[in-house]
Amino acid sequence: MAWTPLITDRNEAERIEVIIYKIMNGIGRTERNGFNRIADATLMYGKFGLSLLNAYVYRYSNDQKFFSSFNSIIEDSLDMLSLQESDFSFGKGYAGFAWCLQHLVTEQYLDADIDELLSDVSDLLLSFADENLESGDYDFMLGGLGPAIYLLERARTGYVDPYLSRVVAHLRRLAISPARGEYYWEQIIHDGPRRVNLGIAHGIPGLMVIISKCYRLGIQREICRDLVGGAWTYLQRNQFVDGRSCFSYSISEGQFQGETALRWCYGDIGISIALLLAGQNMGWQQLSSEGIRIGLRCVQRLDNELSFVEDAHICHGVGGIAHVLNRMYQYTGLEPFRSGALYCLQNTIRRVISIEDYITFKAYKGDFGEVPIDGLMEGSAGIALCLLAMIDTNEPRWDNCFLLS
C-alpha cells in the first residue's frame, strides 16, 4: 500500500532521524540484565529483531553502513542458532526466526533460499503447531499459532502452504459456541482457571486477524467467515456499557477482569485495528467500521490517559500506540488518527534517555524497576522502527509480526 509520512517538515524529519541513529548507537551499550537479551537470536528480544531495524533504516537512508550492519547481524544470528537452545514459538523461538528470514527475503533485503535455511526445522515447526493447537494452546506469540504467522508471511510470495487449512480446522475445533452464531476461545493458564483473552497479543482479536488472512488467501472461506463473525458477536456481547474502555483484559469465570489502558497488547487499541484489518481482509465493511469507531474513541482518551502509560515501547508503551494510530490513519485517511499518532510521537520522544552520543529507553519491569531493553517488542529497536514509520515513504511491513498489516 502507499505510505504517507506523517512528518512532512524536513527539519522535524531530520530531528527524528538523529534520534533513530542515536538509538541505534545505543543498542548493545546498556548494561546486561535478564530482560536485555541482545546476545540471543530471538525475534522479539534478540538479534533477529535488530536485523529488521537495520534493514529498514538502510532502505530509508541508502547508507551502506546499515546494510553492512544488517549482514553482520544476520550472520551472527544464524551462528547463534546452532549454539543456543530454543523452542519453536514465534516470540522466542524458531517460528520467529523463520518469519524474519522469510520477511527479509520477501522484502528483498536478503538473498537466500528459505527452504535450504529452514530444511532442518520446517517439519518440527508444524509438529510444534499441531501439538500445541491440539492441547488448546493457540497463542500466536508463544504457542501453536506461531508457525502459522511464518506461513502467512510466506504466502506473500504466492505459495500458500496447505497446512494453513489445518490451522483453520484446529481453530474451528477449539472454538466454543455459547449461542448460535457466537464463538470464543479459552486461553490455557497453567497456574489458574482458563479465561477468554480479549487482547490482540494473546486472544480473540489476534485470532480474528489470522483467520481473516486465511480467508483472504481463499482458505476454507465459509468456516473463516463463520468464526470471525461469531467472534465479533461474542465481543459485542461482552463490552462495558459505561466503561472508560470498551473491553476488559479478559473474562474469567464469567467476570470481566478490569478496564483496559491504551496499549497494543490488550484493550481497545489492539481490538480496533484487528477489526479494521479483519473487515478489510474479508470485504466486510461493517466490521471495519466498528474498528474505526472504537479507534476514534481511543483517540479521545489520549489527553486523559497517556500520562499514565509508563513505557515507550511497542508492546504496552506509547510508541506502540503511536504506530497503531499511524496505521489506522494510513488505512482510513481520517485526521483524528493522524493527530493522535503525532501526539503520541512527541510523548515518546520526551521519554528518551540521552547519554553522550547515544539514546536509550527504559522499560518498567515490576520488582526489577526500570531497565534498559534493546529489543523489538519492549525495547529501543521497536521504538526506532515506530519513529522511522513517521518519516518514511516505505510501508513498514515489519509490523506483520504484530498483526498490524
Side-chain angles (χ1 to χ4, degrees):
M1 65 177 290
W3 191 265
T4 304
L6 299 193
I7 303 294
T8 56
D9 179 80
R10 187 57 209 164
N11 290 332
E12 180 65 8
E14 288 177 353
R15 183 172 78 98
I16 302 297
E17 285 178 23
V18 170
I19 292 172
I20 292 169
Y21 298 151
K22 285 190 173 183
I23 289 172
M24 297 177 78
N25 284 341
I27 288 174
R29 295 174 65 171
T30 53
E31 65 267 25
R32 294 282 180 255
N33 55 67
F35 302 99
N36 204 5
R37 300 201 303 272
I38 227 58
D40 71 27
T42 59
L43 173 62
M44 289 297 168
Y45 294 93
K47 282 190 174 292
F48 270 118
L50 297 188
S51 73
L52 294 174
L53 174 57
N54 280 270
Y56 275 83
V57 170
Y58 166 67
R59 184 169 66 178
Y60 170 79
S61 66
N62 202 32
D63 188 330
Q64 193 65 32
K65 71 179 180 183
F66 296 116
F67 189 64
S68 297
S69 179
F70 161 74
N71 282 321
S72 296
I73 291 169
I74 289 295
E75 289 176 7
D76 289 347
S77 299
L78 293 174
D79 288 343
M80 284 179 179
L81 292 184
S82 62
L83 301 175
Q84 68 181 52
E85 291 187 9
S86 298
D87 62 19
F88 291 90
S89 71
F90 187 72
K92 299 180 180 180
Y94 280 99
F97 308 155
W99 176 89
C100 189
L101 290 170
Q102 180 64 68
H103 181 77
L104 293 169
V105 169
T106 303
E107 294 292 319
Q108 300 183 332
Y109 295 118
L110 186 65
D111 183 13
D113 185 331
I114 286 293
D115 290 328
E116 181 179 342
L117 283 174
L118 302 178
S119 59
D120 293 336
V121 299
S122 293
D123 290 342
L124 295 173
L125 282 172
L126 302 189
S127 296
F128 171 85
D130 273 336
E131 180 181 345
N132 281 269
L133 290 171
E134 285 170 4
S135 71
D137 185 1
Y138 61 78
D139 193 303
F140 97 85
M141 193 63 71
L142 300 173
L145 282 177
I149 307 302
Y150 153 61
L151 294 178
L152 287 169
E153 181 68 22
R154 189 167 190 181
R156 293 178 57 210
T157 68
Y159 173 71
V160 180
D161 195 293
Y163 186 80
L164 289 170
S165 182
R166 193 163 170 175
V167 168
V168 173
H170 274 303
L171 293 177
R172 176 63 186 87
R173 178 183 57 81
L174 292 172
I176 298 169
S177 181
R180 184 178 177 84
E182 184 175 330
Y183 293 110
Y184 67 88
W185 291 262
E186 286 186 329
Q187 183 185 28
I188 296 174
I189 305 297
H190 296 292
D191 57 352
R194 292 192 174 204
R195 64 183 180 184
V196 182
N197 192 302
L198 303 184
I200 191 173
H202 305 288
I204 289 178
L207 295 182
M208 294 174 75
V209 175
I210 292 167
I211 295 168
S212 74
K213 286 174 178 278
C214 291
Y215 177 95
R216 186 169 184 168
L217 294 170
I219 299 168
Q220 298 202 50
R221 282 191 158 183
E222 185 175 346
I223 294 176
C224 287
R225 189 172 181 88
D226 184 46
L227 290 175
V228 170
W232 172 232
T233 299
Y234 179 84
L235 288 176
Q236 285 180 302
R237 195 173 63 81
N238 287 282
Q239 295 187 64
F240 289 114
V241 176
D242 296 311
R244 171 172 56 93
S245 64
C246 295
F247 297 96
S248 174
Y249 290 93
S250 62
I251 300 171
S252 180
E253 299 180 327
Q255 300 296 314
F256 291 159
Q257 302 301 301
E259 292 185 315
T260 49
L262 295 171
R263 51 179 57 189
W264 164 77
C265 53
Y266 283 93
D268 295 2
I269 284 271
I271 291 173
S272 68
I273 196 162
L275 295 177
L276 173 61
L277 286 172
Q280 289 185 343
N281 286 334
M282 303 176 73
W284 198 336
Q285 183 58 48
Q286 183 182 4
L287 208 56
S288 291
S289 296
E290 283 298 310
I292 292 169
R293 180 187 67 81
I294 295 167
L296 291 172
R297 195 173 185 271
C298 291
V299 173
Q300 294 173 351
R301 295 168 55 187
L302 291 174
D303 279 339
N304 292 329
E305 297 186 36
L306 209 58
S307 61
F308 297 104
V309 179
E310 294 180 319
D311 297 311
H313 56 64
I314 290 179
C315 184
H316 45 273
V318 68
I321 301 171
H323 187 70
V324 173
L325 294 179
N326 189 1
R327 266 285 176 194
M328 296 287 281
Y329 171 70
Q330 304 293 336
Y331 288 133
T332 68
L334 295 176
E335 175 59 28
F337 291 128
R338 178 181 177 276
S339 59
L342 291 172
Y343 180 66
C344 292
L345 167 67
Q346 296 307 322
N347 188 284
T348 303
I349 291 172
R350 286 199 294 271
R351 297 165 186 252
V352 303
I353 300 171
S354 186
I355 306 172
E356 297 177 352
D357 62 338
Y358 70 92
I359 282 174
T360 188
F361 292 85
K362 289 189 176 182
Y364 181 73
K365 301 300 292 185
D367 292 342
F368 294 90
E370 290 188 327
V371 295
I373 299 178
D374 288 335
L376 181 62
M377 174 177 275
E378 294 185 350
S380 295
I383 296 168
L385 281 166
C386 292
L387 297 181
L388 181 64
M390 296 285 180
I391 60 176
D392 200 357
T393 57
N394 298 297
E395 183 183 2
R397 285 187 285 263
W398 56 265
D399 64 7
N400 267 326
C401 68
F402 292 98
L403 301 181
L404 296 177
S405 57

